[in-house]
Amino acid sequence: MDCQELKELKKSLEKEKIKVQTEKLELSRWMRKDARDELIYEKFRDCVREQKPLICPDYIEPVHNTKAYALVFGDEHYGVEFEIRGLYNEIINAYSPEIFEVRMWDLFNQLVEFVIKDNIDTLHVFSMGDFTDGILRMSQLMKLRYGVVEGTVRYSNFICNWLNELTKYTRVKYQMTNGNHSQLRLLDGKKGTFEDENMGKIVAEFIKVKLENNQNFTFIENPTGYIYAQLACHTVLGIHGEVKDPKKALLEFSKIYNVPIDYMIG
C-alpha cells in the first residue's frame, strides 16, 4: 500500500470516527431532553399528589350493553372574559370562567338524568382540545383573566372534580386530544412549530394523577395524540379539527392507520 492509499484510508477512518461521534452527541442530546421531560412530569405529579385527594365514589360493576354512549365537548377557552353589549347597554353575549363552570354543571345535571333514564353503566367522554385560549397573539391578552399556567391549573382542578362527580353515576372512559390554542408559541414560533409543547399534556397528567385511585375512571391515551374508540361496533376517530376537507381527511386517516373509520369527530 503506497503513501497516497494510506492517506485515503486514514481520511476514511477519520470520517467514520466523526460519524460515530456525531451519532453519540445526537443520542445524548435526545436522552437529555427525554430525561428533562420525565423529570418535569415526575415533579409535577409529586406536586399534584401533595394536594388534597379526591373522595372516590363506590365501584360500579360493568354490565353488558348493546348500546354505546359518548359525551363530546371542546373549545372551552377557559380564562377568556368578555361582554358584548347592545344599544341599551344590555348584555347580548358574555363569557367568563364562572359562565363556563355554570354551563358545565348544567350539562352535568342533564347528563345525569340521561344516565339514570337509559341506565348507562359506561360513558365515553371525549375532550376535543382548546381547553384554554392561550396567548397566540397580543390582542388576546385583553380578553384573558388568567395566564396560561394559572388558567391550566384552575381548569385542571375543575375538570377533575367534574369527572369525579360524574363517576358517582357511571363508569367513565376518558380521552382527549390537544388543540392549537394550548400550544406554547416559544421563541416567537409560528403555528405548529412546537406541536409537542402543549399545555394539554399538563392537563392530562393532572387528570391521571388526581383520578388514579378512582376505579370507575379510565384514562385512555393514544400514542397518535388523537382520540380513537369503538362504539357499538363503529370505529370513531376524534381530532381537534384543523383540516380543510373533513371527508378527505377521514379517508386519509383510514389509509394511514390501516383502520376503517366510520365516524370522525372534530
Side-chain angles (χ1 to χ4, degrees):
M1 186 179 288
D2 59 24
C3 185
Q4 184 61 34
E5 287 176 333
L6 284 172
K7 285 182 180 179
E8 289 296 326
L9 180 60
K10 184 179 179 182
K11 192 181 195 179
S12 177
L13 290 172
E14 285 293 330
K15 281 184 180 179
E16 290 302 318
K17 182 180 177 181
I18 291 171
K19 285 180 185 177
V20 172
Q21 289 174 339
T22 304
E23 287 178 351
K24 284 182 177 179
L25 287 171
E26 187 67 15
L27 179 61
S28 296
R29 186 175 72 85
W30 281 107
M31 287 179 70
R32 282 198 304 273
K33 181 183 181 301
D34 287 345
R36 281 197 301 267
D37 289 347
E38 286 180 13
L39 180 62
I40 290 170
Y41 284 130
E42 284 172 8
K43 294 296 183 184
F44 178 77
R45 293 187 198 107
D46 290 342
C47 289
V48 175
R49 288 193 176 101
E50 287 173 4
Q51 294 185 358
K52 185 178 178 180
L54 294 172
I55 300 173
C56 297
D58 294 334
Y59 178 67
I60 298 173
E61 288 282 351
V63 297
H64 177 69
N65 199 328
T66 56
K67 295 181 180 180
Y69 301 83
L71 170 71
V72 182
F73 62 82
D75 285 298
E76 299 97 312
H77 291 269
Y78 188 88
V80 170
E81 187 173 37
F82 68 84
E83 285 184 353
I84 299 174
R85 293 184 176 269
L87 293 174
Y88 301 101
N89 202 35
E90 76 279 17
I91 296 175
I92 298 173
N93 193 14
Y95 192 62
S96 68
E98 289 78 19
I99 291 173
F100 159 76
E101 292 180 10
V102 168
R103 290 179 181 178
M104 286 299 286
W105 287 121
D106 179 54
L107 172 64
F108 177 88
N109 292 330
Q110 294 183 55
L111 187 60
V112 168
E113 287 183 15
F114 191 70
V115 166
I116 294 171
K117 180 174 70 73
D118 279 33
N119 195 26
I120 301 171
D121 76 298
T122 301
L123 179 70
H124 292 264
V125 177
F126 299 154
S127 176
M128 305 303 296
D130 277 358
F131 72 89
T132 183
D133 201 52
I135 304 178
L136 306 189
R137 54 192 71 87
M138 290 298 292
S139 60
Q140 287 176 288
L141 290 173
M142 300 297 291
K143 297 189 298 178
L144 288 176
R145 181 189 296 181
Y146 309 119
V148 174
V149 174
E150 184 179 356
T152 298
V153 172
R154 287 175 176 269
Y155 173 83
S156 298
N157 267 318
F158 175 85
I159 205 66
C160 284
N161 285 311
W162 193 90
L163 289 166
N164 192 62
E165 285 296 309
L166 184 58
T167 58
K168 291 180 180 179
Y169 302 92
T170 181
R171 297 161 61 86
V172 170
K173 291 186 176 181
Y174 182 85
Q175 293 192 60
M176 63 183 290
T177 185
N178 291 322
N180 58 306
H181 278 257
S182 51
Q183 285 179 17
L184 296 176
R185 302 285 172 92
L186 305 171
L187 302 175
D188 200 27
K190 303 300 180 185
K191 176 180 175 181
T193 306
F194 301 102
E195 287 186 358
D196 290 335
E197 300 300 324
N198 199 301
M199 293 303 285
K201 290 186 174 182
I202 297 298
V203 175
E205 290 299 319
F206 210 107
I207 293 171
K208 283 189 282 187
V209 173
K210 290 286 278 187
L211 295 169
E212 63 184 348
N213 295 320
N214 188 327
Q215 297 182 83
N216 297 331
F217 182 83
T218 304
F219 189 102
I220 300 172
E221 197 165 17
N222 196 305
T224 63
Y226 300 121
I227 291 168
Y228 179 76
Q230 290 189 324
L231 307 181
C233 299
H234 295 285
T235 54
V236 179
L237 177 73
I239 64 172
H240 179 59
E242 292 193 284
V243 293
K244 293 181 179 179
D245 186 342
K247 187 175 181 180
K248 183 181 177 183
L250 178 63
L251 295 173
E252 288 177 348
F253 278 119
S254 294
K255 289 179 181 177
I256 291 169
Y257 295 109
N258 196 29
V259 173
I261 298 170
D262 298 312
Y263 297 98
M264 185 173 74
I265 304 172

